[in-house]
Amino acid sequence: MRGHRDLTLACLAAILCAAMAVAVPVEIVRILAAVPLALFLPGYATLAVAFGARRPPTPTLLVASVGTSLSVLALSGLLLDLLPGGIETLTWAILLLALVLACCRGAALRRGPGRRAGPRLRVPRLARRDLGLLVAAAAIATAAFVLAQTPLPAGKATGFTALWMLPGAGERSVEVGVVSSEHDRRDYLLRLEGVRGQAPRSSRFGLEPGEEKTFRLPVSRGTAAHPTRVTASLYQVSEPGHLYRRVVSWMPRKKGLP
């Protein structure tokens, strides 16, 4: 992109910001590097390839770059959600960097060779009111981005644990699952009644917040007269005498019986 100073600077800034957002271990530095990469550079590069050599006024370009960047972020999130890697810092950085580089290259081709500097960014002369609004908008956008990347405490939120049971793939088994949405690690005791041989079966395990554990257990099929009741009871190890969750299912009678 020789001869197009603004496009060269945009590419260098995107590379630097992407590297810092991914590699720097200091969280505040990563966030500050991600702000221009997410809120300005994609929009500027997209507008550069859209307008070519017909550059709009600088105030319009600045505002439009922020708005276009927000649109790019929304569409990029939908795209990343469909990919195997999902929405992560690395995938965000790679996608935005690739977009900026590709758009800058396209803008350079549209402007044509032999133009020494192409359109340059110049500091516009703004009235105090307009300058104040621009600074306030930039501060609000930056604060919103930082707030979106910062996990907030939820001390008053109530944790819970889900217990479920479904028929297994085989005719004589059930699947029992436990999902933890608690605030910390919990140890559980799962008791299943209706196991083959009629003796209760117990399993002890621990779950971190967000983890799930699934069991596939064999059960005895119903008799000629009655189906078999299968009961899964969940206890917390810290309170073994207090029933925490319970689900009940029924195994049907043996096939071929009236």
Side-chain angles (χ1 to χ4, degrees):
M1 281 165 284
R2 182 180 302 175
H4 303 287
R5 184 178 302 175
D6 62 321
L7 301 180
T8 301
L9 291 177
C11 290
L12 293 177
I15 294 173
L16 179 61
C17 291
M20 294 177 63
V22 172
V24 175
V26 183
E27 186 68 19
I28 185 62
V29 176
R30 297 175 60 185
I31 292 176
L32 292 177
V35 167
L37 180 63
L39 298 182
F40 179 76
L41 293 174
Y44 183 84
T46 302
L47 294 176
V49 71
F51 285 100
R54 296 175 294 122
R55 177 174 176 268
T58 299
T60 303
L61 179 62
L62 294 176
V63 176
S65 296
V66 176
T68 306
S69 296
L70 294 176
S71 301
V72 169
L73 283 179
L75 296 176
S76 299
L78 296 177
L79 176 62
L80 291 177
D81 189 53
L82 300 176
L83 298 179
I87 301 176
E88 298 180 354
T89 302
L90 180 60
T91 55
W92 269 118
I94 293 176
L95 179 60
L96 294 179
L97 176 60
L99 176 66
V100 172
L101 295 179
C103 288
C104 287
R105 177 57 180 168
L109 294 176
R110 287 204 62 191
R111 292 176 182 179
R115 301 191 179 187
R116 296 180 54 83
R120 297 184 181 182
L121 282 176
R122 297 179 180 178
V123 179
R125 296 181 179 181
L126 299 176
R128 292 183 179 180
R129 182 187 62 181
D130 296 334
L131 180 60
L133 291 175
L134 181 61
V135 172
I140 292 174
T142 303
F145 185 84
V146 173
L147 184 60
Q149 299 294 321
T150 304
L152 300 177
K156 294 184 179 181
T158 302
F160 67 94
T161 301
L163 173 66
W164 56 266
M165 179 164 55
L166 295 172
E171 295 183 353
R172 297 185 178 182
S173 66
V174 295
E175 289 188 2
V176 180
V178 183
V179 184
S180 174
S181 296
E182 307 287 352
H183 296 304
D184 50 22
R185 176 185 170 85
R186 298 291 177 92
D187 293 319
Y188 302 96
L189 178 65
L190 178 65
R191 292 175 59 87
L192 186 71
E193 301 177 35
V195 181
R196 193 178 324 181
Q198 304 302 319
R201 179 171 178 175
S202 300
S203 299
R204 179 171 175 172
F205 56 94
L207 292 178
E208 298 289 343
E211 286 188 336
E212 179 178 9
K213 191 171 184 64
T214 304
F215 301 87
R216 176 170 294 180
L217 304 172
V219 298
S220 58
R221 200 166 182 79
T223 63
H226 304 285
T228 298
R229 174 174 171 170
V230 183
T231 303
S233 302
L234 185 67
Y235 301 84
Q236 296 191 66
V237 174
S238 58
E239 301 179 84
H242 176 69
L243 178 63
Y244 189 50
R245 295 286 186 271
R246 172 172 287 173
V247 291
V248 178
S249 183
W250 295 87
M251 293 297 290
R253 296 184 302 171
K254 295 180 179 178
K255 290 183 178 179
L257 296 174

